[in-house]
Amino acid sequence: MEEIVRINLDNEMDLILAHKRTMKLAELCGLVISAQTRFATAVSEIARCSIANGENSCLVLGIKFLNGGKKEIGAVILDKVNLEESNPEAYAYASRLARDIVKKYSNGVYEISLSLKIPYSGIISPARISSFIEYFKKETSLSPYDEIRKKNIQLIELSEKLSDSEAKYRQLTDTLPLLVFSVAATGAVTLTNKKMKDVLGSGFSHFTQTSIAALFHPDDVAVIGNAWDSVKRRGSGFSGQARVNIKDEYLWHIVSIVPDNNEDVSGYIVSMVNIHAQKLIEETLKDNKALRQAQESLKSTNAELYKKNKELEQFAYIASHDLQEPLRKIRNFTSLAERNLSEEEKEKLYFNKINSSAERMSRLITDVLNYSKLSVDDRSFSAVDLNVVLNEVIGDFEFQIEEKNAAITIAELPFIQGIPIQLSQLFYNLIGNSLKFVEGKPEVVVNYEKVEKNKHLYHKVSVIDNGIGIEEKHLSKIFTIFKRLHHQSEYEGTGIGLALCEKIIENHHGSIEISSIPNQGTTVDVYLPV
């Protein structure tokens, strides 16, 4: 079937669209008004069943090609639910109107097909079918909701194109003979190509003076370190030669650092091209007067390598910039809609769903950056009063506590040696989970005791709640980054919170344990060294 138009079936507005566009397609095909009405009503009855009882429902209208050059209008409704069983009366009524309904089931999806023969179907040429498609693309919107839906479809198409572009970019950078990675203004490594991971491993997470000392030859550390400081201070790029530690062997590379600045991103692109073989030949030729001509040729080759490296730098910059495009487009669209629609229209037209999607994407990026920036520096440790930390966290949740009438009891907690901001993140996530994952009134208790574990003394802080709990089979997975046990529509979040907690505890040389009973509650035990 040649698809003409597709409609997602979510609400009553979509039902109106389904009936209107079925009527219009029948009209464009030359059917009389009685045939248009009969067929559109049959389609609407099935669509109504989908909106009331279906899951992931959509309607596809198109032209079917039959033997002998004949054609018919086709309406296919796709749904995960058996609509015939959910509403037999409506299904039977539609069958009487359309006479012939075909139902198929494949890969977990029911396909319900209705058809209507087109008289004088020879006039429906490929050119006319193309004109039908263009008509529905340019059709005046039925309502502001319909206009928003069209914009959303365009955004989805754009997102898919950007995903394809990103995949091609990654494939290209993974096959190029160079090491390349992007660095945030904080020094955190945000993206690396496959070769970089293969050579340096997943432990390479920050580009700082400390990691520069480990990555480059001792004689080259000062050059690269000064260049890194200069690029950050002045905003100008750097390109030079240095020896890189590749699996305990120092190899010559062209090292380039390029600022990556735009409205959403502030960071740098670092790339390193292996020139070790050329460097060895160059050093040899310096002491061989008989091969000066070859030396000149080598210089030309090196110049070409520099040129190619500059091109790679520019490519890496552009690609990194474009990775932020989906978030920027969603924000621009919601801002435009917010200026042009009234508050009543926003609520009626699911404006909040669009906005929450952008907020969730932003929150996810923030959480990933927070996770990537967690590091250990002994100079960051200081005396921390956990009572102060908990009181500040409780203050942050003041609105949620009041809204849910939550009861929170905190025992007297100790002073410990730790990183204040990380400990605040730790208890923010634990208290936040206790307030979030609960059906009724939250009851949270924070207990403390000093215990001996594996012949060492620990501060044991326990956060106990009366929430929905966790099934035992899931306990081994909850510290996995991005692992969610509930759908986003049930409980919001990014699946990073507990993974972040575990990393903070590891930074403090402690451990974290969780025990839980479904529908009764969860206990999180945090062990911090005395």
Side-chain angles (χ1 to χ4, degrees), residues 432-443:
N433 284 349
S434 295
L435 294 173
K436 182 196 303 182
F437 297 105
V438 64
E439 296 292 345
K441 172 185 175 181
E443 296 179 2

Side-chain angles (χ1 to χ4, degrees), residues 77 105 126 135 138 148 167 250 255 279 317 337 387 413 430 518:
I77 296 175
Y105 180 79
Y135 173 86
K138 298 177 180 178
I148 289 176
Y250 289 103
V255 181
K279 192 71 175 179
Y317 169 82
N387 297 290
L413 301 177
L430 296 181

Side-chain angles (χ1 to χ4, degrees), residues 341-352:
L341 299 180
S342 67
E343 290 298 323
E344 181 179 357
E345 287 174 322
K346 293 175 193 173
E347 294 179 8
K348 183 177 180 182
L349 306 177
Y350 299 98
F351 181 80
N352 287 338

Side-chain angles (χ1 to χ4, degrees), residues 328-471:
R328 188 182 301 110
K329 287 296 183 183
I330 292 176
R331 284 174 172 166
N332 289 345
F333 175 65
T334 54
S335 175
L336 179 63
E338 191 169 19
R339 291 197 300 268
N340 294 325
L341 299 180
S342 67
E343 290 298 323
E344 181 179 357
E345 287 174 322
K346 293 175 193 173
E347 294 179 8
K348 183 177 180 182
L349 306 177
Y350 299 98
F351 181 80
N352 287 338
K353 288 187 177 181
I354 304 171
N355 214 19
S356 66
S357 296
E359 290 174 0
R360 171 168 163 72
M361 185 183 294
S362 180
R363 186 168 63 248
L364 179 62
I365 292 172
T366 300
D367 285 354
V368 171
L369 288 176
N370 286 339
Y371 183 85
S372 68
K373 289 187 288 186
L374 286 180
S375 61
V376 181
D377 185 348
D378 291 338
R379 293 172 297 178
S380 303
F381 278 72
S382 61
V384 180
D385 185 350
L386 291 184
N387 297 290
V388 174
V389 172
L390 261 294
N391 285 333
E392 290 176 350
V393 169
I394 297 303
D396 290 339
F397 285 109
E398 181 179 2
F399 177 77
Q400 293 94 321
I401 292 172
E402 182 177 345
E403 184 181 46
K404 295 188 175 184
N405 193 25
I408 299 181
T409 305
I410 303 176
E412 186 70 21
L413 301 177
F415 279 79
I416 71 163
Q417 286 294 317
I419 305 173
I421 189 170
Q422 292 191 14
L423 291 171
S424 179
Q425 286 178 297
L426 168 69
F427 288 105
Y428 185 90
N429 279 285
L430 296 181
I431 297 297
N433 284 349
S434 295
L435 294 173
K436 182 196 303 182
F437 297 105
V438 64
E439 296 292 345
K441 172 185 175 181
E443 296 179 2
V444 185
V445 178
V446 181
N447 285 337
Y448 165 72
E449 61 178 322
K450 189 179 294 185
V451 300
E452 183 177 341
K453 184 180 181 185
N454 298 328
K455 298 182 180 181
H456 291 87
L457 279 178
Y458 287 89
H459 298 293
K460 178 184 176 184
V461 181
S462 301
V463 180
I464 307 165
D465 64 44
N466 64 332
I468 60 175
I470 305 169
E471 294 184 24

Side-chain angles (χ1 to χ4, degrees), residues 293-350:
Q293 187 175 358
Q295 188 176 22
E296 291 299 321
S297 177
L298 178 62
K299 289 181 179 179
S300 176
T301 302
N302 280 340
E304 186 66 19
L305 281 172
Y306 272 103
K307 180 181 178 181
K308 293 296 182 184
N309 185 50
K310 286 293 185 182
E311 293 173 356
L312 289 171
E313 290 172 17
Q314 186 67 17
F315 174 79
Y317 169 82
I318 294 171
S320 175
H321 175 274
D322 287 346
L323 291 179
Q324 295 291 326
E325 192 63 18
L327 180 59
R328 188 182 301 110
K329 287 296 183 183
I330 292 176
R331 284 174 172 166
N332 289 345
F333 175 65
T334 54
S335 175
L336 179 63
E338 191 169 19
R339 291 197 300 268
N340 294 325
L341 299 180
S342 67
E343 290 298 323
E344 181 179 357
E345 287 174 322
K346 293 175 193 173
E347 294 179 8
K348 183 177 180 182
L349 306 177
Y350 299 98

